[in-house]
Amino acid sequence: MERDLFDGFKSISKDWGVDIKMLSPLQFAYIGDAVYELFIRTYLIGMKNISVNELHKEAIEYVKAKAQADITHYLEDKLTEEEWQMVKRGRNAKSGSAPKNANLLDYRYATGFETLIGFLYLMGRYERILEIFSMIIDEGERK
């Protein structure tokens, strides 16, 4: 029996009784951060034959707050209304921590981006995530 990875995770979790739409924006951002980081690492390892240290340095260029904020602005007119609402929910969430290496506005837009990715992931909208990741890579290659 074939199943996707997320369904596999849910099946081994004993009490998965979470209503996904009721999660907070910061909970979506928490998982979205990991999903995006995994995507970037997978992309880089498939594209570059370089040391792990160099892979890490390249990954930082994609996952730092400024880069994610820029991605969010680039995607704005390409997102559905529901998706943009998720970005805004994440952007406006009060995290309780201040950014260490980013300005506050970039940090908030990055949180909005991570919220969107987490929402799409948890809702099982994998094709849409791949569309968004493809746009990100295409835009990165144009620069």
Side-chain angles (χ1 to χ4, degrees):
M1 174 192 336
E2 190 173 315
R3 62 182 176 193
D4 66 51
L5 189 59
F6 180 58
D7 285 340
F9 289 156
K10 288 192 300 187
S11 73
I12 61 173
S13 299
K14 293 191 168 69
D15 294 318
W16 184 271
V18 175
D19 180 355
I20 292 169
K21 289 192 175 189
M22 298 304 294
L23 294 174
S24 77
L26 295 178
Q27 288 171 312
F28 286 126
Y30 174 76
I31 195 74
D33 174 61
V35 171
Y36 184 61
E37 176 91 20
L38 180 60
F39 165 73
I40 291 300
R41 287 179 179 209
T42 303
Y43 168 72
L44 289 174
I45 207 162
M47 297 301 294
K48 309 221 178 206
N49 187 15
I50 55 179
S51 71
V52 172
N53 184 46
E54 290 300 314
L55 286 167
H56 177 70
K57 289 177 186 175
E58 294 239 3
I60 289 170
E61 293 304 310
Y62 284 91
V63 301
K64 65 185 177 183
K66 172 73 171 127
Q68 289 183 357
D70 290 346
I71 288 166
T72 305
H73 296 302
Y74 166 73
L75 291 173
E76 183 173 357
D77 64 344
K78 297 162 183 59
L79 299 176
T80 66
E81 183 60 34
E82 178 188 41
E83 291 167 349
W84 187 247
Q85 289 301 316
M86 291 307 298
V87 169
K88 291 195 310 190
R89 282 184 62 201
R91 179 196 65 196
N92 295 335
K94 303 294 184 237
S95 70
S97 64
K100 295 173 190 74
N101 298 313
N103 75 49
L104 185 58
L105 193 56
D106 285 345
Y107 181 77
R108 290 197 175 190
Y109 273 99
T111 302
F113 173 73
E114 292 170 349
T115 299
L116 169 63
I117 298 302
F119 171 75
L120 293 172
Y121 173 74
L122 291 175
M123 294 299 291
R125 298 180 188 169
Y126 311 124
E127 288 298 319
R128 182 59 176 154
I129 293 173
L130 292 174
E131 290 172 8
I132 289 170
F133 287 168
S134 180
M135 286 185 266
I136 291 166
I137 294 306
D138 289 348
E139 178 63 10
E141 289 175 353
R142 277 191 273 265
K143 289 183 177 182

